[in-house]
Amino acid sequence: MSEHQISLTVDGERETLTVEGRTLLVHALREDLGVTAPKVGCETSKCGACTVELDGDVVKACTVLAVQADGKTVRTAASDTEDDVRSVVTQQFHEQHGLQCGYCTPGMVLTAADLLRENPDPTPSEIRASLKGNICRCTGYTNIVRAVESAASELEGTAAVAGDGGKTAAVDGSAPEGDD
Amino acid sequence: MFPPSFDYHRASSVSEALSLLAELPDATLLAGGHALLPRLKNGRAEPGAVVDVSELPELIGVDVGSEATVVGAATTYATLLETGTEAGDADEESDAGGSVGDPTAGRSVLEQHAPAFLEATRAVGDRQIRNRGTVGGNLAEAHPESDLPAAALVADASVRIRGSGGEREVAVEEFLTGAFESAVGDDEIVTAVRIPHVDGWDGSNGGDAEENGSDRNEPTVDNGGAYVRKTHPTSGYAMVGVAVRVGIDDGVIASARVAANGVADTALRLSSVETALEGIDVTTEGVGERVTAAVENAPADVPEATRRGDVHASAEYRVSVLPTYVERAVRAAVDSTEAGSDGGPDSVGDSAPDSDSGRNGRRDQQGGEPR
Amino acid sequence: MSDAESADAGAADPSEHDQEAVDEDADTDAYTGSGEKRREDAALLSGRAEYTDDREPPGTVHLAFVRSEHGHADLEEIDTSAAEAMDDVLGAYTWADVEASPSPGRLQPPGLDRDVPAHPVLATDRVRYHGQPVAVVVAEDRYRARDAAAAVDVEYDPLEAVVDPETAATDSEAPRLFEAAPDNIATTAELGDRDATEEAFAAADRTVSIDLENNRLISSALEPRAAIGEFDPDEGFTVTVTSQSPHGHRRKLAHTLGVREGEVRVVSPRVGGGFGHKGHHHPGEAMAAWCARELEVPVKWTATRSGNYLEGAHGRDHRTTAELAIDDDGTIRGLRAETYASVGGYGLGSGARMPVRYGRLLSSQYAIDAIHCETRAVFTTTAPIHSYRGAGRPEAIYVTERLIDVAADELGLDPVELRRRNLISPEAFPYETPVGATYDSGDYEPAMDKALEAIGYDERTDATGADDGRLRGVGIANYVESTGGGFESGLVRVLPDGDVAVYAGTHSHGQGHETTYAQLVADALERPIDRIQVSEGDTAAIPTGTGTFGSRSTIVGGNAVVESAEKVLAKARRIAATELGVDSAQIGYEDGTFAVSGANDSVSAEAVSGADETVSFEDIADTAYGWGLPDDLEPGLESTTFYDLDGAAYTFGTHACVVAVDPDTGDVELERYFAVDDCGERVNPLIVEGQVHGGVAQGIGQARYEQVAYDDDGTLLTETMDSYGVPRAADLPSIETDSTVTPSPLNELGVKGIGEAGTIAAPPAVVNAVCDALDITHVDMPLTEEHVWRAISDQNEE
Ligand SMILES: Cc1cc2nc3c(=O)[nH]c(=O)nc-3n(C[C@H](O)[C@H](O)[C@H](O)COP(=O)(O)OP(=O)(O)OC[C@H]3O[C@@H](n4cnc5c(N)ncnc54)[C@H](O)[C@@H]3O)c2cc1C
Ligand code: FES
Ligand code: FES
């Protein structure tokens, strides 16, 4: 059994801690650092409740070793919404009643914001496809899709969603051309 | 939910990783972790040590050469999709390693040479998984329902494997040895996947670029491809996935490579379908029926003993619907060729771009080039 | 609360204030009836909200179960010594340890005629389902608890398993689970009149029949169950639980631990969905508390997903043969059903009896003279079954709504027309069915017509006419849902500064009570909503209550808090009368101000403004706790109501959907899904709609994807979210909704519950649509590609 000292930035705080090799990032966050916004809903990397941003990419924190996050930056749904996209998405989840029990919500919001940064004007089917890695058992997704759609229209024309695409391939070929 | 204890090592180079694999008892490689970690969490694996190669620069990147594109084993799906679809300009072409495609077509080299491989990559898992999972890990895992193996087969790809004795290159056909089994030894590392550029009617990189009068990264033939999958109703992997590459000469299918995953222990070529497709004129009436007839025998290409199913989708079912998905993939592939796009066979219907179409119950997607 | 009528699920929250107020005042500023945005959202969206597992009292240690690897086996030996020897392991326990403790260690008794033992918290000498807890370990953290559990060595002597309830009850070779139940039958019940039904069948022109399976499901709330046990020798137990029913858990925990209810405090913070299974008592909660006493440290147990899936409780799992007696003119004369329902390896409290009551809704929306239903609840070597969202209602409506489509086919009649001819007429309410349900109110046809119109029923395309090669079908399902069983408590406490604290015995886990109850109380007291605080989920703070399940919260909880608010206002008025020196009948009240208003008890705006003397709600609150109260009034300004509905309120509606079936692959796409629901008055339409969406999604999940599967050895094959098909966003259509409003006469608010409607209506709507598309009589759920493809292949062979 190996132990490792790691340093990472979590929601703006610099943290240093010792973890076992096997410790999952989600457990380091929740158990060791008390950062409980990411939740645990499964053990097969399926539900997305544990979603966080790792150096800007959405990942499932239950499927990354804590030691692999050494030197990296983690942002959870509890972080200050530095960017407009997430704060608009969050607001629209509220407006459209896109959450019930709220357990999926911290992960869902991060994934939805990630989608909009890449594809500012997704169709409802693209939204549904993009949320494949986040399960919600309460809402039936109808209002989640509405929330993402209305966030997209709210953000239309703002700088927040332009030019940050290309992290993954554009799904519809209308990739932003990096025009700013 | 909680992995058993193991020693974790982050390798700083491939050679260090190789020596760690050799030295440490029960060591296993960790790349994207999206197969290994779920297995550890469910207690289905108990390695003594884990050697992390996910951040080795040597293993990351998409290197577009004149004859082939070489994808580093630890390249994530997201990185491949990002760099592999960049339709660069002429300037970039002079960069080391060449890179990127025909600016006029707006399609990257990989999109032109191995569209099915990119489509399959796009179909993998979900956003979060595509940010972590790797091309090499996908092939090394040899999951029967993974998307990349079939696409690698039709791309005529080969896998570069390094061991203490040096590097060897193994064709994907030989690489995939069984369900969750591959030709990579316990002490070896997959370093890259090599995808040859299409440069001859046989669809393989037979000739050399010069001879074919091309030093550009453009196929010299009318090449098309597609990956069509039916998402498994519960696992989210491919219940059936079909990758197709076709080369069209003067309106006729001159070469066809067709492979499927999900139906057998490994992804496999459907050779009788390939043969039956060759010679079909895609520009004339009745092409639909000819394609339908050509794919009919697909089940015969899947040896009984290797067929696979589960409680949600039995082997019998998967093999029975295989011809339908093969047909859809073939049509989409033909549609993606120049010959096919100007008045090819009957439309194959809608194409959905992401791994799931986003339409409930029609989670099979097809065609779907980002055009 | 313990019957199928009321057991379970995501109760929701419609309602509205009383009819008169709406009609006469047309108070457009009322919170009630408005789509007030939820007050709980901010904490949830920011990730600040605390769920059970987010809490960690200092010194907390962690518990992990060792679970049976077999479906049915004798326990030969359990060796915990290796685990106990590990560093950081505090203890490892088996049944022997529980037996030696002061606790009886059994979950709630199944309450059956047959003398079978209750579920032990750890297996005694035999395991009766895969995943049954066999031993428990406690260690410093979760990882070490996992290691310790893996180090426990258990020897089993496997026995034959039986997973199908009909086989278990009818096959004489089937293994027997309990000596006291030689035929594996836990309990049997008949509903309705057998003879009258036989006569109806004999008299009718025709009979149609159907064999169907209601697939076994798992509620799959995204938050797994969890509990933190704490023990203080002086104060007793505090157990933090993922609970839909904190007081229910208190009673059950006290029973299992062998202490008095007063010695157990149950706290339930935010709960991440429940759908039934968080109302039930499982070994985890009990063992966390038991170990806390043993070790005198806080002990946390959090189920893994597979642990959750293995130990249940699961839902549904019925095998039914049903028949409809029908005349050629479409008159339904009679219905009969014979059902085998699985109980699982042990009866869990009312869960063991729940199946035999399911038939109470077999009349659906139709006037049927005679119904008879005989149900056998059967032990099988599978996880225990208990209520899952719907809890018997979906099973009943599925039978009836499928039978009607079969009958329509047989008669060559449009299935909608057949339904229409048999609807209970609006004048017939209250309507008593032959299976013992009394429907309070209903007006079925308008809701049905709305759904039909929305879906374009009359213009629907012919199943074969589609141009993409897919087969189109339309499916309709009518339903009724019994809601509001059991009593509920509601306490309204005005604080000295005039703020209002509301406490209810229900416990929201997604239903938005913080918002709904606040709306109701704000209107009843005419106070701004931001001065109302709603609390649930702590037995130390809240009067004994029942909980949130069975679509009951708004009806019984809502009426309880409103009645309390009204009592509070009456007292405030008396205090105001003393202050203003008049008789309380002369006191008017509006928007937080009491004023003298002549002899009239309702006051007009001018009266208030024109009055020379007024006193504010805040002043009255202050007086209530200070000096100057009249002698005949007790200090304080609060009231508690234990509200009980006389009967049940019957929600109803029609759901309609359009499917496209790919004949080559069996793939089904739901092109449209439209729900029209009538839950009486709606307190918060936004929340009501959300409940419909969620229920429909789970109903479509049952119809299309979800299926618990065991192999013949009793091994659970669907142990994870990889193998159990919880629908993802792309698996579902956009769910469209509309409503009609037929208030319930049984309660002042006119509300009915809505939490389970979708799980009831969606399965028959979807299956009816697919059968219509394929022109077949029946195909069992879930309609996976393969099931549908096989149905097509079978049909082609004929
Ligand atoms: C919920 C979920 C859904 C998924 N859906 C899909 C899907 O739809 N389609 C699909 O194709 N996949 C799917 N996957 C699998 C995913 O794509 C994995 O990422 C992939 O199979 C393995 O890649 P990895 O880089 O994560 O490998 P790891 O998990 O790191 O490794 C997998 C195996 O390969 C070995 N290995 C890794 N790298 C190397 C190397 N360079 N050389 C030699 N051996 C190596 C490891 O030792 C290990 O045994 C899914 C996974 C999850 C969790
Ligand atoms: S907890 Fe990470 S995906 Fe479910
Ligand atoms: S709101 Fe409960 S899981 Fe999404």
PDB file of all heavy atoms in Angstrom, chain C residues 283-305:
ATOM      1  N   PRO C 283     -31.624  -3.584   7.226  1.00  0.00           N
ATOM      2  CA  PRO C 283     -30.601  -3.861   8.241  1.00  0.00           C
ATOM      3  C   PRO C 283     -29.611  -2.711   8.459  1.00  0.00           C
ATOM      4  O   PRO C 283     -29.104  -2.534   9.564  1.00  0.00           O
ATOM      5  CB  PRO C 283     -29.891  -5.100   7.683  1.00  0.00           C
ATOM      6  CG  PRO C 283     -30.924  -5.783   6.841  1.00  0.00           C
ATOM      7  CD  PRO C 283     -31.728  -4.664   6.232  1.00  0.00           C
ATOM      8  N   GLY C 284     -29.333  -1.934   7.435  1.00  0.00           N
ATOM      9  CA  GLY C 284     -28.288  -0.918   7.545  1.00  0.00           C
ATOM     10  C   GLY C 284     -28.525   0.107   8.643  1.00  0.00           C
ATOM     11  O   GLY C 284     -27.641   0.365   9.475  1.00  0.00           O
ATOM     12  N   GLU C 285     -29.731   0.685   8.647  1.00  0.00           N
ATOM     13  CA  GLU C 285     -30.029   1.708   9.648  1.00  0.00           C
ATOM     14  C   GLU C 285     -29.917   1.101  11.054  1.00  0.00           C
ATOM     15  O   GLU C 285     -29.374   1.714  11.977  1.00  0.00           O
ATOM     16  CB  GLU C 285     -31.472   2.229   9.500  1.00  0.00           C
ATOM     17  CG  GLU C 285     -31.864   2.845   8.171  1.00  0.00           C
ATOM     18  CD  GLU C 285     -32.476   1.846   7.201  1.00  0.00           C
ATOM     19  OE1 GLU C 285     -31.667   1.144   6.558  1.00  0.00           O
ATOM     20  OE2 GLU C 285     -33.707   1.758   7.074  1.00  0.00           O
ATOM     21  N   ALA C 286     -30.466  -0.093  11.169  1.00  0.00           N
ATOM     22  CA  ALA C 286     -30.489  -0.724  12.480  1.00  0.00           C
ATOM     23  C   ALA C 286     -29.080  -1.069  12.948  1.00  0.00           C
ATOM     24  O   ALA C 286     -28.731  -0.862  14.114  1.00  0.00           O
ATOM     25  CB  ALA C 286     -31.348  -1.990  12.433  1.00  0.00           C
ATOM     26  N   MET C 287     -28.253  -1.580  12.039  1.00  0.00           N
ATOM     27  CA  MET C 287     -26.912  -1.990  12.454  1.00  0.00           C
ATOM     28  C   MET C 287     -26.015  -0.793  12.744  1.00  0.00           C
ATOM     29  O   MET C 287     -25.130  -0.868  13.598  1.00  0.00           O
ATOM     30  CB  MET C 287     -26.274  -2.913  11.413  1.00  0.00           C
ATOM     31  CG  MET C 287     -26.837  -4.324  11.402  1.00  0.00           C
ATOM     32  SD  MET C 287     -26.959  -5.100  13.046  1.00  0.00           S
ATOM     33  CE  MET C 287     -25.234  -5.368  13.487  1.00  0.00           C
ATOM     34  N   ALA C 288     -26.223   0.313  12.058  1.00  0.00           N
ATOM     35  CA  ALA C 288     -25.436   1.509  12.382  1.00  0.00           C
ATOM     36  C   ALA C 288     -25.712   1.908  13.832  1.00  0.00           C
ATOM     37  O   ALA C 288     -24.792   2.229  14.591  1.00  0.00           O
ATOM     38  CB  ALA C 288     -25.774   2.658  11.430  1.00  0.00           C
ATOM     39  N   ALA C 289     -26.988   1.851  14.225  1.00  0.00           N
ATOM     40  CA  ALA C 289     -27.345   2.217  15.595  1.00  0.00           C
ATOM     41  C   ALA C 289     -26.834   1.157  16.580  1.00  0.00           C
ATOM     42  O   ALA C 289     -26.271   1.475  17.632  1.00  0.00           O
ATOM     43  CB  ALA C 289     -28.859   2.368  15.711  1.00  0.00           C
ATOM     44  N   TRP C 290     -27.024  -0.100  16.212  1.00  0.00           N
ATOM     45  CA  TRP C 290     -26.617  -1.184  17.100  1.00  0.00           C
ATOM     46  C   TRP C 290     -25.101  -1.122  17.356  1.00  0.00           C
ATOM     47  O   TRP C 290     -24.643  -1.223  18.505  1.00  0.00           O
ATOM     48  CB  TRP C 290     -27.008  -2.525  16.453  1.00  0.00           C
ATOM     49  CG  TRP C 290     -26.801  -3.724  17.316  1.00  0.00           C
ATOM     50  CD1 TRP C 290     -27.698  -4.293  18.180  1.00  0.00           C
ATOM     51  CD2 TRP C 290     -25.607  -4.529  17.385  1.00  0.00           C
ATOM     52  NE1 TRP C 290     -27.138  -5.396  18.783  1.00  0.00           N
ATOM     53  CE2 TRP C 290     -25.861  -5.562  18.318  1.00  0.00           C
ATOM     54  CE3 TRP C 290     -24.368  -4.488  16.773  1.00  0.00           C
ATOM     55  CZ2 TRP C 290     -24.914  -6.533  18.636  1.00  0.00           C
ATOM     56  CZ3 TRP C 290     -23.412  -5.444  17.082  1.00  0.00           C
ATOM     57  CH2 TRP C 290     -23.688  -6.462  18.008  1.00  0.00           C
ATOM     58  N   CYS C 291     -24.331  -0.915  16.310  1.00  0.00           N
ATOM     59  CA  CYS C 291     -22.871  -0.857  16.458  1.00  0.00           C
ATOM     60  C   CYS C 291     -22.450   0.382  17.243  1.00  0.00           C
ATOM     61  O   CYS C 291     -21.468   0.357  17.973  1.00  0.00           O
ATOM     62  CB  CYS C 291     -22.180  -0.859  15.092  1.00  0.00           C
ATOM     63  SG  CYS C 291     -22.326  -2.426  14.217  1.00  0.00           S
ATOM     64  N   ALA C 292     -23.202   1.468  17.093  1.00  0.00           N
ATOM     65  CA  ALA C 292     -22.866   2.687  17.831  1.00  0.00           C
ATOM     66  C   ALA C 292     -22.974   2.441  19.332  1.00  0.00           C
ATOM     67  O   ALA C 292     -22.167   2.929  20.115  1.00  0.00           O
ATOM     68  CB  ALA C 292     -23.782   3.831  17.406  1.00  0.00           C
ATOM     69  N   ARG C 293     -23.978   1.662  19.728  1.00  0.00           N
ATOM     70  CA  ARG C 293     -24.099   1.355  21.151  1.00  0.00           C
ATOM     71  C   ARG C 293     -22.981   0.413  21.578  1.00  0.00           C
ATOM     72  O   ARG C 293     -22.358   0.561  22.629  1.00  0.00           O
ATOM     73  CB  ARG C 293     -25.461   0.707  21.455  1.00  0.00           C
ATOM     74  CG  ARG C 293     -25.650   0.408  22.937  1.00  0.00           C
ATOM     75  CD  ARG C 293     -27.007  -0.200  23.224  1.00  0.00           C
ATOM     76  NE  ARG C 293     -27.209  -1.416  22.434  1.00  0.00           N
ATOM     77  CZ  ARG C 293     -28.389  -2.001  22.272  1.00  0.00           C
ATOM     78  NH1 ARG C 293     -29.469  -1.501  22.822  1.00  0.00           N
ATOM     79  NH2 ARG C 293     -28.481  -3.103  21.541  1.00  0.00           N
ATOM     80  N   GLU C 294     -22.694  -0.551  20.740  1.00  0.00           N
ATOM     81  CA  GLU C 294     -21.663  -1.535  21.026  1.00  0.00           C
ATOM     82  C   GLU C 294     -20.302  -0.849  21.216  1.00  0.00           C
ATOM     83  O   GLU C 294     -19.529  -1.170  22.109  1.00  0.00           O
ATOM     84  CB  GLU C 294     -21.610  -2.470  19.818  1.00  0.00           C
ATOM     85  CG  GLU C 294     -21.388  -3.925  20.007  1.00  0.00           C
ATOM     86  CD  GLU C 294     -22.229  -4.614  21.055  1.00  0.00           C
ATOM     87  OE1 GLU C 294     -23.428  -4.334  21.268  1.00  0.00           O
ATOM     88  OE2 GLU C 294     -21.616  -5.482  21.680  1.00  0.00           O
ATOM     89  N   LEU C 295     -20.003   0.115  20.335  1.00  0.00           N
ATOM     90  CA  LEU C 295     -18.663   0.703  20.280  1.00  0.00           C
ATOM     91  C   LEU C 295     -18.579   2.085  20.909  1.00  0.00           C
ATOM     92  O   LEU C 295     -17.489   2.633  21.077  1.00  0.00           O
ATOM     93  CB  LEU C 295     -18.199   0.792  18.818  1.00  0.00           C
ATOM     94  CG  LEU C 295     -18.046  -0.555  18.101  1.00  0.00           C
ATOM     95  CD1 LEU C 295     -17.938  -0.365  16.591  1.00  0.00           C
ATOM     96  CD2 LEU C 295     -16.806  -1.286  18.627  1.00  0.00           C
ATOM     97  N   GLU C 296     -19.725   2.654  21.222  1.00  0.00           N
ATOM     98  CA  GLU C 296     -19.788   3.995  21.805  1.00  0.00           C
ATOM     99  C   GLU C 296     -19.070   5.050  20.969  1.00  0.00           C
ATOM    100  O   GLU C 296     -18.373   5.920  21.481  1.00  0.00           O
ATOM    101  CB  GLU C 296     -19.281   3.978  23.256  1.00  0.00           C
ATOM    102  CG  GLU C 296     -20.171   3.078  24.098  1.00  0.00           C
ATOM    103  CD  GLU C 296     -19.887   3.185  25.589  1.00  0.00           C
ATOM    104  OE1 GLU C 296     -18.971   3.929  25.957  1.00  0.00           O
ATOM    105  OE2 GLU C 296     -20.589   2.522  26.360  1.00  0.00           O
ATOM    106  N   VAL C 297     -19.209   4.929  19.688  1.00  0.00           N
ATOM    107  CA  VAL C 297     -18.750   5.973  18.753  1.00  0.00           C
ATOM    108  C   VAL C 297     -19.810   6.098  17.655  1.00  0.00           C
ATOM    109  O   VAL C 297     -20.592   5.168  17.445  1.00  0.00           O
ATOM    110  CB  VAL C 297     -17.400   5.627  18.060  1.00  0.00           C
ATOM    111  CG1 VAL C 297     -16.238   5.830  18.999  1.00  0.00           C
ATOM    112  CG2 VAL C 297     -17.430   4.205  17.496  1.00  0.00           C
ATOM    113  N   PRO C 298     -19.839   7.230  16.969  1.00  0.00           N
ATOM    114  CA  PRO C 298     -20.772   7.337  15.848  1.00  0.00           C
ATOM    115  C   PRO C 298     -20.381   6.364  14.738  1.00  0.00           C
ATOM    116  O   PRO C 298     -19.207   6.256  14.389  1.00  0.00           O
ATOM    117  CB  PRO C 298     -20.613   8.785  15.375  1.00  0.00           C
ATOM    118  CG  PRO C 298     -19.936   9.513  16.500  1.00  0.00           C
ATOM    119  CD  PRO C 298     -19.108   8.482  17.207  1.00  0.00           C
ATOM    120  N   VAL C 299     -21.348   5.644  14.216  1.00  0.00           N
ATOM    121  CA  VAL C 299     -21.081   4.648  13.179  1.00  0.00           C
ATOM    122  C   VAL C 299     -21.897   5.007  11.946  1.00  0.00           C
ATOM    123  O   VAL C 299     -23.116   5.163  12.019  1.00  0.00           O
ATOM    124  CB  VAL C 299     -21.473   3.230  13.656  1.00  0.00           C
ATOM    125  CG1 VAL C 299     -21.247   2.210  12.539  1.00  0.00           C
ATOM    126  CG2 VAL C 299     -20.671   2.847  14.897  1.00  0.00           C
ATOM    127  N   LYS C 300     -21.186   5.131  10.850  1.00  0.00           N
ATOM    128  CA  LYS C 300     -21.871   5.492   9.615  1.00  0.00           C
ATOM    129  C   LYS C 300     -21.933   4.301   8.667  1.00  0.00           C
ATOM    130  O   LYS C 300     -20.953   3.581   8.491  1.00  0.00           O
ATOM    131  CB  LYS C 300     -21.155   6.646   8.921  1.00  0.00           C
ATOM    132  CG  LYS C 300     -21.920   7.176   7.700  1.00  0.00           C
ATOM    133  CD  LYS C 300     -21.092   8.137   6.861  1.00  0.00           C
ATOM    134  CE  LYS C 300     -21.155   9.553   7.393  1.00  0.00           C
ATOM    135  NZ  LYS C 300     -20.480  10.505   6.461  1.00  0.00           N
ATOM    136  N   TRP C 301     -23.112   4.145   8.104  1.00  0.00           N
ATOM    137  CA  TRP C 301     -23.283   3.150   7.044  1.00  0.00           C
ATOM    138  C   TRP C 301     -23.828   3.864   5.827  1.00  0.00           C
ATOM    139  O   TRP C 301     -24.807   4.599   5.917  1.00  0.00           O
ATOM    140  CB  TRP C 301     -24.264   2.069   7.488  1.00  0.00           C
ATOM    141  CG  TRP C 301     -24.867   1.302   6.345  1.00  0.00           C
ATOM    142  CD1 TRP C 301     -24.270   0.332   5.598  1.00  0.00           C
ATOM    143  CD2 TRP C 301     -26.191   1.446   5.811  1.00  0.00           C
ATOM    144  NE1 TRP C 301     -25.137  -0.127   4.635  1.00  0.00           N
ATOM    145  CE2 TRP C 301     -26.310   0.541   4.737  1.00  0.00           C
ATOM    146  CE3 TRP C 301     -27.270   2.266   6.146  1.00  0.00           C
ATOM    147  CZ2 TRP C 301     -27.493   0.429   4.001  1.00  0.00           C
ATOM    148  CZ3 TRP C 301     -28.439   2.159   5.407  1.00  0.00           C
ATOM    149  CH2 TRP C 301     -28.540   1.239   4.345  1.00  0.00           C
ATOM    150  N   THR C 302     -23.177   3.683   4.701  1.00  0.00           N
ATOM    151  CA  THR C 302     -23.704   4.211   3.447  1.00  0.00           C
ATOM    152  C   THR C 302     -23.736   3.059   2.459  1.00  0.00           C
ATOM    153  O   THR C 302     -22.704   2.434   2.195  1.00  0.00           O
ATOM    154  CB  THR C 302     -22.816   5.344   2.899  1.00  0.00           C
ATOM    155  OG1 THR C 302     -22.795   6.399   3.858  1.00  0.00           O
ATOM    156  CG2 THR C 302     -23.374   5.884   1.591  1.00  0.00           C
ATOM    157  N   ALA C 303     -24.903   2.784   1.950  1.00  0.00           N
ATOM    158  CA  ALA C 303     -25.027   1.658   1.016  1.00  0.00           C
ATOM    159  C   ALA C 303     -24.251   1.971  -0.254  1.00  0.00           C
ATOM    160  O   ALA C 303     -24.240   3.104  -0.718  1.00  0.00           O
ATOM    161  CB  ALA C 303     -26.487   1.417   0.667  1.00  0.00           C
ATOM    162  N   THR C 304     -23.595   0.977  -0.773  1.00  0.00           N
ATOM    163  CA  THR C 304     -23.083   1.117  -2.132  1.00  0.00           C
ATOM    164  C   THR C 304     -24.285   0.919  -3.056  1.00  0.00           C
ATOM    165  O   THR C 304     -25.335   0.445  -2.641  1.00  0.00           O
ATOM    166  CB  THR C 304     -22.039   0.035  -2.437  1.00  0.00           C
ATOM    167  OG1 THR C 304     -22.657  -1.242  -2.262  1.00  0.00           O
ATOM    168  CG2 THR C 304     -20.845   0.148  -1.496  1.00  0.00           C
ATOM    169  N   ARG C 305     -24.118   1.287  -4.290  1.00  0.00           N
ATOM    170  CA  ARG C 305     -25.217   1.088  -5.237  1.00  0.00           C
ATOM    171  C   ARG C 305     -25.596  -0.387  -5.307  1.00  0.00           C
ATOM    172  O   ARG C 305     -26.772  -0.745  -5.261  1.00  0.00           O
ATOM    173  CB  ARG C 305     -24.811   1.612  -6.624  1.00  0.00           C
ATOM    174  CG  ARG C 305     -25.806   1.377  -7.744  1.00  0.00           C
ATOM    175  CD  ARG C 305     -27.163   1.955  -7.521  1.00  0.00           C
ATOM    176  NE  ARG C 305     -27.142   3.345  -7.134  1.00  0.00           N
ATOM    177  CZ  ARG C 305     -28.204   4.009  -6.673  1.00  0.00           C
ATOM    178  NH1 ARG C 305     -29.380   3.400  -6.575  1.00  0.00           N
ATOM    179  NH2 ARG C 305     -28.110   5.263  -6.311  1.00  0.00           N
TER     180      ARG C 305
END
